[in-house]
Amino acid sequence: MDAVRVALLREVLAGTRWPAATRRFAASLRSSVVPHGGGLLLVGTRAYEPWHLAAHLVDEATWSGRPELAPLLVRHRVRPGDPAHLAVGLGRLQGAGRGETLLLVAPERPDGGLLERVHDARRAGATVLALGSGDPEVTGLAHDALTVDPPEPEPEPDPGTEVASAKGIDLDMVQHLVSAAAGENSLPSTRGRRRLRDRLSRLADQLTSPPPARW
């Protein structure tokens, strides 16, 4: 999602907790990875792989000049022939420790095996951040967590009327807001004008486009 669409989404959500909450969580992410020069591990559940968030964080790392934001996507299933950046399995979490950040995206409760790995990583000194449904075991393991409740059903809009509200926000929207906020306030002022112009040029295809070819 490009800067203009993020701004529009924030405008729709003005007066709700989401603009401030996503910026706060993004600040936790940024303050955890930047001082250590990176070390961001991103993992989802067996049913939900956060490749979209991974792709947007890579994008933000490039645009913000903060390469530390680029994550290593840790996957539950790795297939023979997968490229190197998509061939990192759950075994990577066994080596996670001090100086690394584990971001768990969990729209549902993870299985016990993943929770155990996250727990071990925290005990080894890794910072654990959680984004998802607010499962008590997940939030209990996390140093910081952002809970996204399932969207409430929206009433049918009047014909010709476009309706958007905070009740309809979902995990994907929150991930867009978090990734965008993670890259904010990172550029030297001399690059800010160029960054905005370049991002505006991508307005037409950022929100619904497939992830970069790398993913």
Side-chain angles (χ1 to χ4, degrees), residues 40-92:
L40 176 57
L41 305 175
L42 176 62
V43 65
T45 64
R46 187 175 298 274
Y48 184 86
E49 186 170 79
W51 58 263
H52 208 170
L53 177 58
H56 281 288
L57 283 171
V58 168
D59 199 32
E60 288 297 330
T62 300
W63 286 105
S64 68
R66 289 293 190 188
E68 304 91 346
L69 293 173
L72 181 66
L73 181 62
V74 178
R75 309 179 70 197
H76 288 256
R77 292 175 294 275
V78 176
R79 298 170 297 183
D82 281 341
H85 68 285
L86 295 178
V88 180
L90 289 176
R92 175 63 180 82

